[in-house]
Amino acid sequence: MRFLKSNAGGLALVAALIAFPFVLSLLTGEALNTGTPKFWQGMLAQVFILGVYALSYDLLMGVTGVLSFGHAMFFGAGAYTAGILLKYAHWGLLPVIAAVIVVTLVQSLLVGALSLRVKGVYYAMVTLAFAQMFFILAEASDFREYTGAEDGLQGIPVPAWLSPTHERLTFYFVSLAFCVCVYLIVRRIVSSPTGRVLVAIRDNEQRAQTVGFNTFAFKLIAMALSGVLAGLAGMMSALWNLSANAGMLSTGTTINALLMVIIGGAGTLSGSLLGAGFLQLVGYWLNDAFGPRWPLLFGLVYIVIVLFLPYGIIGTWRARRRQG
Amino acid sequence: MQEVVLETRGLVKAFGGFRAVDGVDLRVEQGELRSIIGPNGAGKTTLFNCISATLKPTAGQVIYRGSDITGLPLRRIAHLGIGRAFQITNVFPSLSALENVRLAAQALGGDSFRFWVPATRLHGYIDKAMACLATVGLEGRAAFPAAALSHGDKRKLEIAILLAGDPRLLLLDEPAAGMATEQVPELMKTIAELRRSGERTLLLVEHNVNLVMAISDRITVMHQGRVLAEGTPAEIKASEAVQNAYLGTS
């Protein structure tokens, strides 16, 4: 009961998102699996997937205060792991999910153990180097057989019941459920004793050490959680696109995470989801109206947001509400 | 004779050619309230930082209850029962006063790696944190973000954080620094009471001699990186060397 009361807004939003495809179908008079309803299901499914990716970054950057420039490496690793296992090993979906978790867990622990030894800008640079390494691996012609090199890994076979082309509505609901679950999990973790230590590290790492926390271990935990969640988001992205490409591992993908988190409000969690919606939808409309030069305009929008909403949309809103 | 809790042997800290701490031998006994005083630049804070593992001494040893703790990582020091408060206010600014203290209590418990239970459900840490806040008189400010507290209250919060770590040796670096004059006596009284009749040992670094005269058992006077004099407050007051180096001129 208490859960229902304190989460009324979120629950209403989820209910609205569940009703959304049906309402849209009624309004436009088009069948669920055609035209406008189908298009917007796809649009929002991408928002949910991006939202999970942004959430994973917020856990590291917003909650723990660790700025990584290499987050794309986990997103891409999830996408390629899923793609290769589905296409060449013909694994089922559940073992693929398990494999994505294991691969990104090992990857984030290894990268974290090496890069968390340095702090601040140096950490950001080391993670950037690691991400570039994976980017180069994905583009290398030596592994063309598996990765498709610069052409990307095309034609990933997605189980028929989840096909984003034929079963769009199912894919929509699966990605919605995925996003809601990850949000609840991350929120629960942040309010746990472990999560409180992560927040303390963001606030004052030296102080956290002085009261007796091994901050390295906690930052490694944050990186592992964030890496695995980004990997799962990458997997979902590969399922949606039916392909994986080196661009998923590029700096641009990391910058997107940074943009979404900052626009929504770092450390707020729900802000990441809002930021994902913002990036995807505003990006779509700008592209629709101004063509391929839309990032130029998006840059302006971003500058306006950072100037007038310094803590992001949700962050600034919360700060105002606390004052007033 | 009481057990020696803290001892430094020939402690040296050099910054380039400048020896800020130049061969200090210190012995602090169980239950004692020891103050280290000295004029600006005497090396008090550097000595303090070497003892509390914030700085690595160039030479010499720091011994705590018979074991060498020189150069141990910060978090290990906390687990040994040594708590330190900083001269510069050093709290978790965006967290509430209660959460600041609760984290310090949690740090010594075994629950920090549990990520599937809300922290608010572990009442033990919250109760302990509230008790520590009450000790320093901050219970009414528990829900305030630390950044919103007055400077004096932040200094008190600093001590509450320290207490939550169950320290047996407390290191305090100018606890009254920057506080309004009328608040200082109350803080000093709280600090003197922290000893709890010999259970805890306190090492206090202070610039202002008058503040520590009343509450200290023994006072160590530093001058130019060395120990100039040591004794009871009365002895220090009477010492001519101290007056020349410090009391008369500062």
Side-chain angles (χ1 to χ4, degrees):
Chain A
M1 236 1 250
R2 259 217 338 252
F3 177 84
L4 293 183
K5 223 178 234 169
S6 57
N7 293 285
L11 286 168
L13 181 65
V14 173
L17 287 170
I18 291 172
F20 173 78
F22 305 102
V23 173
L24 200 61
S25 166
L26 271 177
L27 287 177
T28 59
E30 292 172 289
L32 273 170
N33 212 15
T34 56
T36 313
K38 186 177 184 184
F39 174 79
W40 280 101
Q41 287 160 36
M43 201 63 165
L44 289 188
Q46 290 176 75
V47 171
F48 302 147
I49 294 168
L50 268 181
V52 171
Y53 175 55
L55 259 179
S56 73
Y57 194 69
D58 196 23
L59 185 61
L60 191 63
M61 182 257 207
V63 173
T64 319
V66 174
L67 179 67
S68 160
F69 281 167
H71 205 55
M73 72 180 117
F74 307 118
F75 186 76
Y80 273 98
T81 305
I84 290 171
L85 290 177
L86 282 168
K87 188 172 176 184
Y88 298 108
H90 310 291
W91 283 23
L93 200 55
L94 283 180
V96 165
I97 293 173
V100 167
I101 292 175
V102 171
V103 166
T104 48
L105 182 67
V106 171
Q107 182 193 19
S108 52
L109 286 175
L110 281 178
V111 172
L114 293 168
S115 56
L116 285 171
R117 298 185 178 281
V118 289
K119 283 177 192 167
V121 178
Y122 303 99
Y123 169 83
M125 287 300 124
V126 175
T127 50
L128 176 64
F130 273 111
Q132 288 305 101
M133 186 184 91
F134 284 105
F135 177 75
I136 291 166
L137 272 179
E139 272 206 323
S141 47
D142 311 59
F143 308 108
R144 185 181 299 280
E145 209 181 321
Y146 295 105
T147 61
E150 67 274 10
D151 302 327
L153 178 62
Q154 303 297 333
I156 296 173
V158 174
W161 65 271
L162 189 62
S163 160
T165 342
H166 305 295
E167 301 291 341
R168 178 67 57 90
L169 191 64
T170 310
F171 196 92
Y172 173 82
F173 283 127
V174 167
S175 27
L176 174 62
F178 172 59
C179 183
V180 171
C181 286
V182 169
Y183 173 72
L184 291 176
I185 289 172
V186 172
R187 204 176 65 167
R188 183 153 180 129
I189 290 173
V190 170
S191 65
S192 74
T194 311
R196 302 319 295 165
V197 179
L198 300 183
V199 176
I201 291 174
R202 173 190 69 194
D203 250 33
N204 190 341
E205 181 170 358
Q206 193 219 11
R207 191 53 167 139
Q209 285 172 346
T210 331
V211 298
F213 291 115
N214 180 355
T215 56
F216 175 81
F218 284 94
K219 288 194 287 185
L220 196 57
I221 290 175
M223 238 187 117
L225 282 169
S226 142
V228 167
L229 293 177
L232 288 171
M235 175 195 79
M236 285 298 284
S237 180
L239 294 181
W240 163 256
N241 289 308
L242 304 175
S243 67
N245 60 68
M248 286 173 157
L249 290 152
S250 70
T251 324
T253 305
T254 297
I255 299 289
N256 277 347
L258 194 60
L259 283 178
M260 292 186 284
V261 169
I262 289 178
I263 288 173
T268 59
L269 303 187
S270 54
S272 304
L273 303 180
L274 191 70
F278 192 90
L279 183 70
Q280 178 76 12
L281 299 178
V282 173
Y284 164 72
W285 284 314
L286 287 177
N287 184 29
D288 207 35
F290 302 99
R293 283 186 191 81
W294 71 270
L296 208 61
L297 286 153
F298 191 84
L300 283 177
V301 174
Y302 177 71
I303 290 170
V304 169
I305 288 181
V306 173
L307 279 180
F308 293 100
L309 303 171
Y311 307 108
I313 298 172
I314 298 280
T316 310
W317 179 65
R318 279 191 193 165
R320 291 258 166 88
R321 204 177 48 169
R322 218 176 292 131
Q323 282 170 6
Chain B
M1 197 186 118
Q2 285 278 7
E3 184 201 355
V4 175
V5 173
L6 180 75
E7 192 179 350
T8 67
R9 292 184 192 152
L11 207 63
V12 174
K13 178 68 192 180
F15 297 103
F18 173 65
R19 292 159 86 91
V21 172
D22 193 4
V24 170
D25 298 300
L26 203 67
R27 287 165 72 90
V28 183
E29 290 175 7
Q30 170 69 42
E32 189 180 347
L33 198 167
R34 169 74 63 95
S35 297
I36 299 177
I37 60 170
N40 280 331
K44 305 182 298 277
T45 295
T46 308
L47 171 66
F48 182 86
N49 284 338
C50 288
I51 293 173
S52 63
T54 315
L55 285 176
K56 215 181 152 98
T58 314
Q61 289 171 301
V62 182
I63 317 281
Y64 174 66
R65 293 185 191 280
S67 52
D68 191 345
I69 60 163
T70 324
L72 280 187
L74 278 177
R75 64 187 161 83
R76 294 277 303 280
I77 300 283
H79 287 280
L80 287 172
I82 305 177
R84 73 164 286 189
F86 297 81
Q87 181 178 354
I88 304 158
T89 300
N90 195 353
V91 294
F92 302 113
S94 79
L95 304 182
S96 71
L98 177 64
E99 187 66 4
N100 265 275
V101 185
R102 199 197 63 76
L103 275 161
Q106 181 192 309
L108 299 187
D111 295 300
S112 293
F113 290 103
R114 291 173 65 184
F115 52 84
W116 207 243
V117 58
T120 46
R121 222 175 273 169
L122 301 174
H123 299 291
Y125 299 126
I126 298 176
D127 295 344
K128 186 171 174 191
M130 279 311 286
C132 294
L133 283 174
T135 308
V136 298
L138 273 185
E139 64 273 36
R141 298 262 191 279
F144 279 54
L149 294 178
S150 72
H151 182 76
D153 283 350
K154 275 184 197 151
R155 304 300 307 178
K156 291 181 190 164
L157 178 60
E158 187 87 46
I159 292 172
I161 294 174
L162 201 63
L163 291 179
D166 282 334
R168 295 173 64 201
L169 170 64
L170 284 88
L171 310 171
L172 306 170
D173 190 5
E174 299 205 19
M179 264 181 116
T181 327
E182 65 272 16
Q183 290 181 315
V184 173
E186 188 201 331
L187 182 77
M188 285 297 158
K189 203 171 140 246
T190 310
I191 288 173
E193 282 164 5
L194 292 181
R195 272 184 296 172
R196 276 208 215 139
S197 57
E199 241 178 84
R200 298 194 183 112
T201 310
L202 268 76
L203 180 69
L204 197 68
V205 167
E206 185 53 65
H207 176 70
N208 188 337
V209 193
N210 299 325
L211 290 183
V212 296
M213 278 298 173
I215 61 169
S216 304
D217 296 316
R218 289 177 75 78
I219 293 177
T220 303
V221 185
M222 281 189 74
H223 186 55
Q224 295 176 345
R226 293 165 191 263
V227 174
L228 180 72
E230 197 175 298
T232 62
E235 287 166 6
I236 294 300
K237 232 176 207 166
S239 158
E240 207 167 300
V242 175
Q243 292 200 351
N244 286 342
Y246 184 22
L247 296 178
T249 53
S250 103

